């Protein structure tokens, strides 16, 4: 089959179809990716390339690119009716330790750059998002490379509202809800 380039990604299920968002192939010398791809599957075995949903060249911040894009995650905001993507955003030398945020009207559409920042004013590395049944959403990320910082997102999902809890340091967080 064809190679899949969807590295460090996350899955989203929509209408019984799985969508896998991940970075394009990382290339030497700095192992940076050119963007974020989306693939879809009904059975988790057979994947179809949907779109390169975001490009490295879309990032607009003061620090010069190209940029390190890692661990993209997408959630749907029921209030704004937008798909919101967050990812670890950095330079090749990890000098900005931030997140990037982009939005789209469609799940597999082109995501438009919103902002890059340090959530709650703190350095951020590995990260994931979690959306609860009540619509509230949370960012879990490695803060200062010392602990996992957990922050509730604003109602529009475009920024955080402060750390609500901390957990021991770990890499590649994954969050799910058990028993209600």
């Amino acid at each position: 089959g064809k190679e899949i380039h969807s590295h460090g990604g996350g899955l989203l299920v929509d209408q019984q179809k799985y969508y896998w968002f991940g970075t394009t192939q990382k290339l030497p010398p700095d192992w940076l990716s050119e963007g974020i791809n989306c693939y879809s599957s009904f059975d988790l075995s057979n994947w179809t390339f949907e779109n390169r949903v975001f490009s490295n060249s879309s990032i607009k911040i003061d620090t010069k690119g190209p940029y390190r894009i890692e661990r993209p995650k997408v959630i749907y905001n029921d209030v704004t009716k937008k798909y919101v993507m967050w990812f670890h955003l950095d330079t090749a030398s990890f000098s900005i330790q931030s997140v990037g945020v982009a939005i789209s009207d469609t799940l597999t559409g082109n995501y438009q750059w919103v902002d890059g920042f340090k959530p709650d004013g703190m350095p951020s590395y590995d990260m994931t998002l979690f959306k609860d049944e009540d619509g509230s959403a949370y960012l879990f990320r490695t803060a200062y490379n010392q602990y996992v910082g957990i922050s509730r997102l604003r109602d529009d999902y475009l920024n955080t509202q402060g750390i609500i809890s901390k957990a021991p340091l770990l890499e590649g967080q994954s969050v799910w809800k058990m028993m209600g």
Side-chain angles (χ1 to χ4, degrees), residues 5-7 9-10 12 18-25 33-40 48-59 69 71-75 83-87 100-114:
H5 289 290
S6 192
H7 308 277
L12 180 68
Y18 298 91
Y19 293 88
W20 182 4
F21 294 87
T23 55
T24 59
Q25 182 176 12
S33 56
E34 295 175 350
I36 297 170
N37 288 333
C38 177
Y39 293 82
S40 67
T48 301
F49 176 76
E50 293 285 344
N51 190 18
R52 176 168 296 169
V53 297
F54 187 80
S55 293
N56 198 308
S57 60
S58 300
I59 298 169
I69 301 172
R71 303 191 188 275
K73 305 297 183 280
V74 174
I75 54 177
Y83 290 92
V84 182
M85 175 186 293
W86 284 59
F87 53 87
V101 179
I103 59 173
S104 178
D105 291 329
T106 61
L107 180 57
T108 61
N110 295 322
Y111 283 72
Q112 303 302 310
W113 174 253
V114 173

Side-chain angles (χ1 to χ4, degrees), residues 115-126:
D115 201 4
F117 56 92
K118 292 182 180 181
D120 306 313
M122 298 178 219
S124 177
Y125 299 93
D126 285 354

Side-chain angles (χ1 to χ4, degrees), residues 10-11 13 22 42 48 73 92 119 122 125 134 153:
L11 291 175
V13 180
F42 285 105
T48 301
K73 305 297 183 280
M122 298 178 219
Y125 299 93
D134 66 1
L153 300 185

Side-chain angles (χ1 to χ4, degrees), residues 3-156:
E3 288 183 341
I4 293 176
H5 289 290
S6 192
H7 308 277
L11 291 175
L12 180 68
V13 180
D14 186 60
Q15 298 183 19
Q16 299 180 337
K17 192 174 186 180
Y18 298 91
Y19 293 88
W20 182 4
F21 294 87
T23 55
T24 59
Q25 182 176 12
K26 293 184 177 188
L27 302 170
D30 294 318
W31 301 104
L32 303 178
S33 56
E34 295 175 350
I36 297 170
N37 288 333
C38 177
Y39 293 82
S40 67
S41 174
F42 285 105
D43 61 11
L44 297 176
S45 292
N46 300 290
W47 292 92
T48 301
F49 176 76
E50 293 285 344
N51 190 18
R52 176 168 296 169
V53 297
F54 187 80
S55 293
N56 198 308
S57 60
S58 300
I59 298 169
K60 307 295 181 214
I61 59 174
D62 292 338
T63 306
K64 187 177 181 227
Y67 304 100
R68 182 177 301 281
I69 301 172
E70 296 178 329
R71 303 191 188 275
K73 305 297 183 280
V74 174
I75 54 177
Y76 182 71
N77 188 308
D78 298 298
V79 175
T80 64
K81 308 293 186 216
K82 301 278 187 189
Y83 290 92
V84 182
M85 175 186 293
W86 284 59
F87 53 87
H88 173 69
L89 171 64
D90 225 320
T91 62
S93 62
F94 293 96
S95 66
I96 59 174
Q97 307 114 19
S98 296
V99 296
V101 179
I103 59 173
S104 178
D105 291 329
T106 61
L107 180 57
T108 61
N110 295 322
Y111 283 72
Q112 303 302 310
W113 174 253
V114 173
D115 201 4
F117 56 92
K118 292 182 180 181
D120 306 313
M122 298 178 219
S124 177
Y125 299 93
D126 285 354
M127 47 96 18
T128 196
L129 297 175
F130 174 78
K131 180 181 172 185
D132 210 343
E133 294 166 359
D134 66 1
S136 59
Y138 302 86
L139 170 68
F140 291 71
R141 84 294 194 171
T142 303
Y144 295 106
N145 254 350
Q146 295 175 359
Y147 59 88
V148 173
I150 305 165
S151 298
R152 185 173 177 156
L153 300 185
R154 292 187 331 204
D155 290 343
D156 61 8

